[in-house]
Amino acid sequence: MISYWFGDVDGEHCMPAPREKEALLKRISSIRTNLREYTPADWQLASKAGFVRDRMEYLKWLHLLCMEVTEVRVRQSLERDDGELIRLVGLLDALAFSINHIREQLSRLQEIDSPLRRGPHTVAKRPKEFRDGEGAHVSLAPIAEELIRMERVRASLTQQIAQRADRVAPNCSALLGGTVAARLIARAGGLEKLACMPSSSIQILGAEKALFAHLRGGEPPPKHGVIFQHGRVHAAPRTCRGRVARVIASRTAISARLDLYRGVLDREFIEETERRVARAMKRA
Amino acid sequence: MIWIGNIPVSPGEGGVYGERMLEGYRVWDPFRSKFSALHMLGKEIELSPEMRVLYLGAAHGTTVSHVADYVEVVYAIERAPLPMRHLLRVAERRKNVIPILADAREPETYAHLLEEVDLLYQDVADQAQVEIALRNRIFLKTGGLLVLMLKVPCIDCTSGPEAILESARDGVAKGYEIFDHSWLAPYHEDHAAIMGKKKVVADE
């Protein structure tokens, strides 16, 4: 018996599939043909079995189904694509950079304006006080409001990146949190590149400057780079931070490979990692 | 193939990729499409309204759209999602283009969608181009036509192009009777076309 998109054919006999779109879509994405006993489909079998009236209808159905299946597959594979994730991380960095700069300039202006009320957050937190005529020479309120909006955008972008990282690399995200996982992937230049890295490289990704200072002369080696942003490393007491970073880096190396080649979350692996991190902390 | 003067064209709705129009026909640029280049070099492959075509390596669908102007149906296989996105837009307007996101190296993943075709057109950037032509031979009717656009640098960039073409022809000859071949210069560098007919092989 050979399964075609429109039905199962045994010799001259054709058992048509139900003519229902959802069922057919499922059917054509699941069939894998054994080419040893395969002959290309004969559309007339589909018409004899009453699946379609004529050739026109045959092609119309096939076109419709292939369009839909392909559309869905393209969308899925672009979602799993790490290229977009990397670009999103770049966008987030650019946004953060701008926010910090604007905030800095604003607070300096404010210092000139009213030296008694210092502190970097004042302008952005209370834009209303900087309306025209209330002491400011220049109206800062619109800029301060813009700044607040940008911060809101940054928060939502961060969230979106974490969600996206969850799909691109479910294991890394479960291990490190979506944002840190996304940053690591961006630093490495892609999930595939990350999966090819030894854990010692992953451990200090993002600490390149410190690493080269160490290699060139005298400086102590960096213990961690981007993964320092991971809560467990960050919160670990100084004495065992390096060890925790090492454990997490080595588990990240494995989880990146899981993500690349399997693409589904492995809970047991994550739990085991938790245990190992806890053990590394205890030995302090 | 329709010609206006010495310009190959195809009959159909324009605006697929910014192609020029000439007397209501779509200009088929030989510098963009290897199929058109082949015709410019005097190797005519006749496309007729009842033909069914399997097109491997459909990419953005530029050549596909021209072929679809001539034939009944084009089964367009492409494995990369980004160009497929563009191909989908082409297939939206041309109902005789069947878009399939699949790897031409694995016919078992799309065999259930195909029927017997008259022309197997292959333009894939893969080291196993010859192997792909042989694996997809199963969809071609006996005596059906193979047009293999050989991307020489994809196979090997160390040995000379002539030697690569020679060995590719020997490989393809296992399943096809090769009747012609041609380099596509000056339109496309380092590309050659191999044309053959499906032949009956003893152990099938």
Side-chain angles (χ1 to χ4, degrees):
Chain A
M1 187 196 76
I2 309 171
S3 294
Y4 300 110
W5 66 274
F6 55 81
D8 301 330
V9 173
D10 206 345
E12 281 294 290
H13 182 72
C14 173
M15 177 72 195
R19 255 172 60 122
E20 201 255 309
K21 202 171 99 185
E22 291 308 316
L24 282 168
L25 287 174
K26 214 174 258 175
R27 177 183 171 84
I28 68 172
S29 7
S30 65
I31 295 178
R32 240 186 119 85
T33 312
N34 177 5
L35 292 176
R36 281 182 186 286
E37 42 204 55
Y38 170 82
T39 49
D42 180 358
W43 74 273
Q44 281 172 330
L45 283 175
S47 117
K48 268 183 216 151
F51 184 80
V52 289
R53 260 170 297 140
D54 51 17
R55 175 128 183 101
M56 256 215 358
E57 205 189 351
Y58 177 88
L59 288 179
K60 211 174 122 191
W61 264 103
L62 186 57
H63 182 265
L64 178 89
L65 295 171
C66 283
M67 285 294 285
E68 292 234 351
V69 165
T70 308
E71 199 114 24
V72 171
R73 279 194 195 159
V74 165
R75 208 179 319 124
Q76 280 172 348
S77 73
L78 288 181
E79 261 178 15
R80 263 186 280 123
D81 185 31
D82 51 1
E84 207 174 30
L85 184 66
I86 293 170
R87 253 157 266 140
L88 283 173
V89 172
L91 187 62
L92 183 67
D93 286 343
L95 198 57
F97 183 82
S98 308
I99 289 174
N100 291 341
H101 265 249
I102 294 170
R103 177 185 291 292
E104 198 182 329
Q105 296 303 325
L106 262 184
S107 68
R108 276 196 202 149
L109 263 174
Q110 182 208 356
E111 271 173 46
I112 299 168
D113 205 54
S114 47
L116 286 176
R117 215 170 36 208
R118 290 173 77 152
H121 299 293
T122 330
V123 181
K125 280 215 175 116
R126 274 174 283 173
K128 281 197 188 71
E129 292 178 22
F130 288 85
R131 288 227 173 98
D132 276 334
E134 279 188 37
H137 302 298
V138 188
S139 171
L140 300 178
I143 303 174
E145 272 159 14
E146 199 60 45
L147 192 63
I148 291 171
R149 242 196 315 274
M150 279 168 83
E151 282 177 332
R152 235 176 272 142
V153 171
R154 176 172 64 180
S156 86
L157 185 62
T158 309
Q159 212 172 18
Q160 281 174 45
I161 287 177
Q163 281 168 4
R164 178 58 63 94
D166 232 12
R167 281 193 294 258
V168 175
N171 287 296
C172 284
S173 302
L175 197 64
L176 301 164
T179 327
V180 179
R183 278 195 185 284
L184 267 187
I185 291 169
R187 272 279 170 181
L191 182 57
E192 196 174 345
K193 291 228 175 93
L194 184 66
C196 292
M197 275 188 180
S199 73
S200 51
S201 298
I202 293 175
Q203 188 186 341
I204 50 151
L205 262 186
E208 284 81 3
K209 200 174 152 197
L211 175 69
F212 288 113
H214 165 64
L215 292 178
R216 213 164 284 140
E219 304 296 321
K223 294 184 289 296
H224 36 57
V226 171
I227 58 170
F228 179 66
Q229 293 168 15
H230 177 39
R232 298 301 282 270
V233 183
H234 194 58
R238 251 169 207 291
T239 45
C240 63
R241 230 178 240 174
R243 195 183 314 130
V244 172
R246 215 156 52 234
V247 170
I248 291 179
S250 75
R251 299 300 276 182
T252 305
I254 300 171
S255 65
R257 289 161 210 175
L258 283 176
D259 288 332
L260 182 64
Y261 293 110
R262 229 185 265 165
V264 284
L265 184 63
D266 185 341
R267 282 189 196 290
E268 225 168 279
F269 178 81
I270 303 298
E271 281 160 21
E272 172 61 23
T273 304
E274 293 295 328
R275 279 195 289 279
R276 285 189 189 204
V277 172
R279 220 181 304 150
M281 303 263 272
K282 232 180 263 167
R283 268 191 289 160
Chain B
M1 178 73 94
I2 304 169
W3 298 77
I4 296 179
N6 55 359
I7 300 170
V9 296
S10 74
E13 190 191 350
V16 175
Y17 59 94
E19 70 276 25
R20 282 188 304 128
M21 301 296 289
L22 202 60
E23 295 171 26
Y25 289 95
R26 303 172 60 221
V27 171
W28 197 345
D29 183 358
F31 287 97
R32 287 192 70 148
S33 169
K34 274 150 236 145
F35 199 77
S36 173
L38 194 62
H39 283 76
M40 291 297 276
L41 294 164
K43 317 275 183 189
E44 191 101 350
I45 303 285
E46 207 41 60
L47 296 173
S48 55
E50 72 289 342
M51 262 173 108
R52 298 164 194 179
V53 179
L54 172 55
Y55 194 122
L56 305 175
H60 290 261
T62 45
T63 303
V64 170
S65 69
H66 284 292
V67 174
D69 287 342
Y70 280 102
V71 302
E72 190 207 13
V73 56
V74 181
Y75 293 91
I77 313 280
E78 173 56 47
R79 74 169 167 201
L82 274 176
M84 182 47 98
R85 210 154 50 164
H86 197 267
L87 181 61
L88 278 171
R89 300 287 83 80
V90 174
E92 226 165 44
R93 306 270 287 279
R94 285 176 165 68
K95 303 290 184 198
N96 61 342
V97 174
I98 313 281
I100 298 170
L101 186 71
D103 192 328
R105 288 175 299 187
E106 301 166 347
E108 58 273 17
T109 56
Y110 54 85
H112 59 290
L113 301 166
L114 292 199
E115 53 185 340
E116 209 165 57
V117 296
D118 307 284
L119 169 65
L120 171 58
Y121 182 90
Q122 179 182 326
D123 185 2
V124 298
D126 195 289
Q127 203 182 3
Q129 287 173 72
V130 172
E131 182 60 27
I132 288 171
L134 292 172
R135 267 190 221 168
N136 285 278
R137 180 176 167 276
I138 194 165
F139 303 116
L140 202 56
K141 71 171 189 195
T142 311
L145 207 57
L146 165 79
V147 177
L148 169 58
M149 296 301 181
L150 196 70
K151 287 179 197 281
V152 171
C154 290
I155 294 184
D156 185 352
C157 53
T158 53
S159 33
E162 285 296 341
I164 294 167
L165 176 60
E166 176 106 18
S167 79
R169 281 180 52 202
D170 288 347
V172 175
K174 281 178 207 151
Y176 302 90
E177 204 174 295
I178 295 165
F179 61 83
D180 204 355
H181 69 95
S182 168
W183 287 98
L184 295 179
Y187 302 105
H188 301 266
E189 294 299 326
D190 289 329
H191 283 76
I194 299 175
M195 289 152 276
K197 280 203 158 85
K198 179 176 179 177
K199 71 176 179 191
V200 183
V201 178
D203 60 349
E204 281 185 327

